[in-house]
Amino acid sequence: MSSARNMIALKSILHKEVHRFMRIWVQTLVPPAITISLYFVIFGSLIGARIGTMDGFDYMSFIVPGLIMMSVITNSYSNVASSFFSAKWQRNVEEMLVAPVPNWVIVAGYVGGGMTRGILVGCIVTFISLFFTDIQVHNAWVIIVTVALTSATFALGGLINAIFAGSFDDISIIPTFVLTPLTYLGGVFYSISLLPEFWQGVSKVNPIVYMVNAFRYGFIGVSDVDLTVAFAVLGVFIVSLFTIAMMLITKGIGLRS
Amino acid sequence: MEKALEITSLKKTYKGGFQALKGIDLSVKQGDFFALLGPNGAGKSTTIGVITSLVNKTAGQVKVFGHDIDQALETAKSFIGLVPQEFNFNQFESLTKILVNQAGYYGVERSLAHKRAEKYLKQLDLWDKKDAPARNLSGGMKRRLMIARALMHEPKVLILDEPTAGVDIELRRSMWDFLRELNKQGITIILTTHYLEEAEMLCRNIAIIDSGVIVENTDMKSLLAKLDVETFVLDLKLNSPEPKIEGFCYRVIDGHTIEVDVKKSQRINDVFMQLSEQQIDVQSMRNKSNRLEELFVSLVGSGAHVAAQGE
């Protein structure tokens, strides 16, 4: 298949994916906006006022980047996990499998769809945060690159989850038991420099710490981790997860008999 | 003539050890209307699955218009349009979106895809449902939608797995006409069906598969010629005397219905002459069963294939 044809196939998958989450926007775009608004009200305005400053910034300014990143992570992951698993469950994934679509196009199409939803929700949450605090931008490129790489990482994770999933329960296990704890312990609400040295070391095993901190650096210019290390971690995750996803689809795990 | 499909020594063993295909050979000529028949679990859908890459083969070779699926899978796939047995589209999408997206997977530009969607939705009498979600369609409409979807990239070979299952007679006949028209346009058609009448009406060549083995692969005329005996049901005028037909095997079903077995070497005319001599009027006559069905039962029943394959 020529590259021009591959691009049409990629656009078709992307179009299908974006249309899917836009068609059910009440389920996909509104809930994260409401949830994050509640975080802003409770942690930012009510409790945050009593906390004082964090790393020299008022608490609301400190947590806004983390909350935006949290919504990007959750939505990128869940979009691909639920969409790809639904396609498996309804068997309409076969529409792509019988067509001359290279496997990398299938992966890129679904990941692109997940990234689009994650970033769109991130934009909505950013817009809502403007009602609670003034957002400053320290380095726009760091923000853009971090959000793009993070959403790609978790979209790939959601795809792998969906490939292995045998039921709808299986696509909620990882978000509930892995993603949520890692996100809450990933420095969204606190600076890991507040932790004892041992727990700081433990926290640095959590990849979300690097993503949240790199993103926060883009806004307020402070980070608990080295930016180069953060991007290296993201790069390693993307390459590893993409390789795994390609291998699974090529072998037809969960897709072909 | 170029071969649309060439299968050599194809084997498939599923996890757990079930051997669905035991080394089948099959060849379909370009432009053919080909039937693959077999009872449930015979290996029809597995064969189609391997051809369309939905099932990983264990051994053997599959070529589509000369392109080996192991070496040129994407090229081979681009020639095939598949109408699967189960509904496998997104039930929440509109018909137009399903068709246009499917065309996109084959590299068809969106503007052209919209034109083709309109063409096939109109031809298959689905145009007024174009914006409806697919779940709102009736069973027959869903089958037609899958045919339209398979045609969106204008394939050279159309594979249909039980395309008229659950479709009423009127609709089935209109689908037959549609498929005949596609075949006239040069599209090679391969279908599996449980309706043996369908195969007899539509197909020029036929293969019968049973327990993962091809038990017969020939043209329809030769296959039907193998049938030695045909059974006719004769409805006699009410209150006719009991008939006596010499030289034929027959059964009196009730006072005015008889069944007569007519061998290839015999003439049905002789039955009529004998009845006429006995002053018995025949009001109507019909075949007892589908001739192909009889042959099918004789081929797949009682392990006939074992002898045929020399196993």
Side-chain angles (χ1 to χ4, degrees):
Chain A
M1 208 182 194
S2 69
S3 55
R5 287 187 169 189
N6 285 342
M7 283 314 295
I8 295 172
L10 179 60
K11 275 196 274 182
S12 295
I13 299 173
L14 264 175
H15 185 275
K16 173 177 75 73
E17 283 303 288
V18 173
H19 180 261
R20 187 195 77 88
F21 75 70
M22 291 301 281
R23 191 185 65 222
I24 50 172
W25 60 275
V26 176
Q27 295 172 46
T28 54
L29 303 181
V30 175
I34 292 173
T35 307
I36 297 296
S37 297
L38 289 171
Y39 277 118
F40 286 145
V41 171
I42 296 164
F43 291 102
S45 298
L46 301 179
I47 299 174
R50 290 165 179 259
I51 291 174
T53 61
M54 185 80 67
D55 279 353
F57 292 86
D58 67 86
Y59 191 60
M60 181 62 109
S61 299
F62 181 84
I63 64 166
V64 162
L67 289 173
I68 295 170
M69 188 51 93
M70 190 165 88
S71 57
V72 170
I73 289 171
T74 312
N75 284 277
S76 301
Y77 190 95
S78 62
N79 190 74
V80 185
S82 60
S83 176
F84 196 80
F85 181 71
S86 295
K88 260 176 62 174
W89 190 70
Q90 293 193 82
R91 296 180 63 174
N92 57 297
V93 71
E94 291 175 2
E95 292 176 336
M96 280 173 283
L97 299 179
V98 301
V101 185
N103 294 332
W104 70 264
V105 172
I106 296 176
V107 174
Y110 273 90
V111 168
M115 288 174 70
T116 308
R117 175 168 153 194
I119 292 169
L120 183 58
V121 169
C123 290
I124 293 169
V125 170
T126 307
F127 175 75
I128 292 169
S129 72
L130 292 173
F131 292 97
F132 297 90
T133 185
D134 292 327
I135 288 183
Q136 57 172 307
V137 176
H138 177 73
N139 188 327
W141 285 110
V142 171
I143 293 173
I144 292 166
V145 173
T146 309
V147 80
L149 295 180
T150 305
S151 57
T153 302
F154 285 93
L156 281 163
L159 180 63
I160 293 168
N161 188 171
I163 289 171
F164 281 115
S167 69
F168 280 101
D169 288 344
D170 294 342
I171 55 169
S172 64
I173 287 172
I174 301 284
T176 307
F177 296 104
V178 180
L179 273 190
T180 306
L182 285 182
T183 310
Y184 278 72
L185 298 172
V188 171
F189 298 102
Y190 57 86
S191 165
I192 60 167
S193 63
L194 296 178
L195 300 173
E197 204 168 316
F198 172 76
W199 290 108
Q200 282 188 40
V202 171
S203 292
K204 286 184 178 173
V205 180
N206 178 358
I208 293 178
V209 165
Y210 298 89
M211 300 165 195
V212 168
N213 274 282
F215 196 61
R216 182 175 289 135
Y217 177 86
F219 283 97
I220 59 177
V222 295
S223 170
D224 294 332
V225 297
D226 188 289
L227 221 56
T228 316
V229 177
F231 286 129
V233 167
L234 276 165
V236 167
F237 266 92
I238 287 180
V239 172
S240 308
L241 294 174
F242 180 78
T243 307
I244 293 168
M246 281 296 291
M247 201 178 68
L248 293 172
I249 291 186
T250 305
K251 282 192 171 180
I253 305 291
L255 301 171
R256 295 187 174 93
S257 315
Chain B
M1 186 176 276
E2 194 180 1
K3 284 175 182 167
L5 177 69
E6 199 174 0
I7 293 175
T8 314
S9 307
L10 183 62
K11 291 182 182 175
K12 172 64 189 177
T13 305
Y14 286 102
K15 278 179 193 168
F18 174 67
Q19 202 177 1
L21 298 175
K22 298 172 183 169
I24 65 165
D25 297 306
L26 205 60
S27 176
V28 179
K29 284 181 283 186
Q30 185 179 2
D32 200 357
F33 208 134
F34 189 92
L36 182 61
L37 293 184
N40 284 332
K44 305 184 296 290
S45 295
T46 299
T47 307
I48 288 174
V50 172
I51 298 166
T52 54
S53 83
L54 291 174
V55 174
N56 293 324
K57 64 186 167 65
T58 307
Q61 189 180 47
V62 176
K63 286 183 180 176
V64 183
F65 285 97
H67 298 276
D68 193 322
I69 63 166
D70 289 330
Q71 282 143 28
L73 179 61
E74 285 168 18
T75 311
K77 280 177 174 180
S78 68
F79 293 124
I80 302 171
L82 173 67
V83 181
Q85 197 176 131
E86 308 283 342
F87 301 132
N88 70 342
F89 41 77
N90 187 338
Q91 301 275 346
F92 302 99
E93 287 285 10
S94 72
L95 276 61
T96 305
K97 286 226 175 293
I98 289 170
L99 297 188
V100 171
N101 284 335
Q102 183 69 18
Y105 303 152
Y106 288 83
V108 179
E109 288 280 4
R110 233 166 160 76
S111 55
L112 178 58
H114 274 285
K115 285 180 191 160
R116 284 189 190 167
E118 181 177 347
K119 173 183 158 187
Y120 291 119
L121 287 175
K122 282 181 175 168
Q123 283 184 8
L124 287 155
D125 207 15
L126 292 167
W127 181 242
D128 59 331
K129 301 278 183 190
K130 68 182 193 303
D131 297 319
R135 68 175 185 276
N136 289 0
L137 302 184
S138 68
M141 287 174 173
K142 286 176 178 171
R143 292 245 165 252
R144 282 180 279 155
L145 171 62
M146 293 207 296
I147 293 176
R149 187 184 60 179
L151 293 170
M152 285 300 289
H153 62 290
E154 305 202 323
K156 288 171 80 173
V157 56
L158 184 65
I159 300 176
L160 305 105
D161 196 0
E162 310 258 358
T164 52
V167 171
D168 66 50
I169 292 207
E170 190 184 351
L171 189 56
R172 194 184 308 166
R173 289 185 185 276
S174 75
M175 280 169 72
W176 290 354
D177 290 340
F178 185 73
L179 294 176
R180 278 196 197 99
E181 189 54 40
L182 290 175
N183 186 240
K184 269 188 206 162
Q185 291 166 18
I187 298 177
T188 307
I189 296 183
I190 300 170
L191 67 84
T192 72
T193 178
H194 273 150
Y195 299 109
L196 300 172
E197 180 200 6
E198 189 164 80
E200 191 175 353
M201 296 277 288
L202 293 172
C203 301
R204 287 188 285 279
N205 290 294
I206 187 167
I208 296 176
I209 185 168
D210 185 34
S211 305
V213 175
I214 299 286
V215 297
E216 188 64 73
N217 185 4
T218 183
D219 63 279
M220 191 65 75
K221 279 184 187 167
S222 306
L223 187 71
L224 293 173
K226 289 185 180 179
L227 195 64
D228 190 47
V229 179
E230 205 166 344
T231 302
F232 293 94
V233 180
L234 275 57
D235 294 313
L236 311 179
K237 197 174 177 183
L238 279 175
N239 303 320
S240 297
E242 186 167 320
K244 288 191 174 60
I245 310 170
E246 287 181 13
F248 289 86
C249 182
Y250 69 99
R251 294 164 294 283
V252 178
I253 306 300
D254 56 38
H256 56 94
T257 309
I258 58 169
E259 284 180 6
V260 185
D261 297 335
V262 181
K263 291 181 184 167
K264 263 179 27 188
S265 55
Q266 295 175 313
R267 299 185 319 152
I268 184 81
N269 231 15
D270 294 338
V271 176
F272 287 119
M273 282 170 63
Q274 290 190 47
L275 292 173
S276 183
E277 282 166 8
Q278 296 165 52
Q279 312 294 315
I280 298 172
D281 289 339
V282 178
Q283 288 193 316
S284 65
M285 181 188 80
R286 64 185 186 278
N287 280 70
K288 186 189 176 189
S289 62
N290 182 288
R291 294 175 299 148
L292 188 59
E293 193 163 312
E294 289 176 29
L295 193 58
F296 179 78
V297 170
S298 74
L299 281 167
V300 301
S302 66
H305 63 277
V306 177
Q309 292 286 312
E311 287 182 10

